[in-house]
Amino acid sequence: MVVASPNPSGAVKPEAIELPVIDLSAERTEVAKLITKACEDYGFFKVINHGVSGETIAAMEEEGLGFFTKPDVEKQRAGPATPFGYGRKNIGFNGDIGEVEYLLLHTNPLSVSQSSITISDDPQKFRSVVDSYVRAVRRLACDILDLMAEGLWVQDPSLFSKMIRDVESDSVFRLNHYPPSPFHHCTSNAVGFGEHTDPQILTILRSNDVGGLQICVADAVWVPVPPDPTAFCVNVGDVLQAMTNGRFMSVRHRALTNINKPRMSMAYFGAPPLHARVTAPPELVTPHSPLLYRPFTWGEYKKATYSLQLGDSRLQLFRQ
């Protein structure tokens, strides 16, 4: 099992953190400012009035739960995850283990269609639901990335979003399912998915109404993020930290299991094409803020990610 970093000895049990909740229907300039501040202060925030319909969300949740409630022998037809498909316990290829089972899909419609055959008894329906959900959350991710660029006064407002709009985008969609764990109690947390940062640009995350998500704040204290059925969680990825020259922080997070209830999360990871060059724009590089990371391609960074363990710091390999 992944062993998560404990809270400091003698520390009081942390209270749930109130992440910024940003109403995307508010005045655009103000929204851009709020998102920028949230990315600088937390690296995580929530969005409401996000434009993803309740029907689209419900349909995807139904398909996901329908798959995870199948007998093991049927689920295993969709695996092993190499990296796409059904996986259980093992996270990646370097020994990380968690109390999780998952489906990992590339967001390319052809790839989804091919994967659907072993995942669902109705592949056409599954493919349609996934494609609709991915289109909706990708549109949301692009809107947020454009607001970030505006908040940073980047000359090209599509600088970040065009990387995931690209037809060769390497974005992925992941469904995580955490069965109830009898080991989850006040003195021993069962780690469903160990501490890590997301390597991509941006993550759009939603879970059912069961807690488990935690983020790491100052002094290595882990604080819970309560679920919110009206919102999506958004977090900065490593690539965005590099492209903002460290202005935005890719924050470590993890997921714990629950003693009574299963938890399912749905995460869209927006990523560039493999050949895309990642570097900060000139507007964010000054004599007082020199370039922190040497330019790299997403393919290079992804290779580094696969070579390391889940909790390892990858961006340090690309420091100037």
Side-chain angles (χ1 to χ4, degrees):
M1 178 181 292
V2 175
V3 179
S5 299
N7 289 330
S9 179
V12 176
K13 185 178 179 181
E15 298 293 330
I17 193 169
E18 289 296 328
L19 290 176
V21 179
I22 300 174
D23 184 348
L24 295 181
S25 69
E27 196 275 323
R28 187 174 183 87
T29 302
E30 184 62 22
V31 171
K33 289 179 182 177
L34 291 172
I35 287 177
T36 300
K37 181 169 174 52
C39 292
E40 293 173 336
D41 291 349
Y42 294 98
F44 262 77
F45 57 96
K46 296 180 181 180
V47 293
I48 58 174
N49 291 321
H50 41 68
V52 182
S53 74
E55 292 80 5
T56 299
I57 295 168
M60 190 66 254
E61 289 180 339
E62 182 180 359
E63 289 295 319
L65 289 171
F67 173 81
F68 289 121
T69 54
K70 285 183 173 184
D72 285 347
V73 65
E74 293 186 33
K75 289 185 286 190
Q76 288 167 0
R77 290 176 51 218
T82 56
F84 302 114
Y86 173 70
R88 186 170 184 173
K89 302 283 189 178
N90 294 314
I91 302 170
F93 305 105
N94 296 298
D96 291 299
I97 300 174
E99 299 299 318
V100 64
E101 59 177 343
Y102 64 89
L103 274 177
L104 182 64
L105 304 169
H106 197 285
T107 58
N108 178 283
L110 178 59
S111 179
V112 174
S113 180
Q114 292 170 339
S115 298
S116 300
I117 296 169
T118 56
I119 292 172
S120 176
D121 298 328
D122 188 345
Q124 186 172 354
K125 180 185 177 186
F126 183 85
R127 174 196 57 76
S128 176
V129 169
V130 171
D131 286 347
S132 295
Y133 186 84
V134 166
R135 281 197 305 271
V137 292
R138 179 173 55 224
R139 183 166 55 248
L140 172 60
C142 288
D143 289 345
I144 291 170
L145 288 168
D146 289 346
L147 286 159
M148 289 175 176
E150 292 173 28
L152 290 168
W153 295 90
V154 173
Q155 185 174 358
D156 178 5
S158 67
L159 178 71
F160 307 134
S161 66
K162 65 186 177 185
M163 287 188 157
I164 63 174
R165 285 192 178 102
D166 194 297
V167 294
E168 296 183 24
S169 163
D170 195 42
S171 301
V172 296
F173 177 52
R174 184 176 183 123
L175 292 157
N176 286 330
H177 182 248
Y178 306 93
S181 171
F183 302 108
H184 180 88
H185 53 81
C186 61
T187 58
S188 177
N189 292 330
V191 177
F193 206 104
E195 63 175 281
H196 64 286
T197 61
D198 294 340
Q200 296 89 353
I201 299 175
L202 194 75
T203 303
I204 305 292
L205 174 70
R206 181 181 174 85
S207 67
N208 61 345
D209 199 17
V210 177
L213 176 64
Q214 296 185 333
I215 66 172
C216 187
V217 295
D219 301 320
V221 174
W222 289 97
V223 294
V225 178
D228 184 343
T230 67
F232 280 95
C233 273
V234 181
N235 66 273
V236 173
D238 296 348
V239 166
L240 191 57
Q241 178 172 325
M243 292 190 74
T244 60
N245 204 29
R247 282 276 300 274
F248 292 176
M249 189 61 63
S250 181
V251 178
R252 301 179 79 79
H253 53 285
R254 68 183 185 185
L256 305 184
T257 59
N258 187 283
I259 190 170
N260 295 315
K261 300 177 182 178
R263 179 174 183 266
M264 189 181 78
S265 63
M266 308 189 300
Y268 168 81
F269 301 97
L274 291 172
H275 59 77
R277 185 172 182 267
V278 174
T279 193
E283 301 94 311
L284 300 181
V285 181
T286 69
H288 297 291
S289 299
L291 190 65
L292 291 178
Y293 307 99
R294 62 177 174 83
F296 54 86
T297 67
W298 167 241
E300 291 173 325
Y301 197 75
K302 186 176 180 180
K303 183 178 179 180
T305 297
Y306 277 105
S307 71
L308 300 173
Q309 288 193 296
L310 188 65
D312 290 339
S313 178
R314 300 169 290 256
L315 267 180
Q316 293 302 316
L317 299 177
F318 296 86
R319 291 280 300 201
Q320 287 276 57

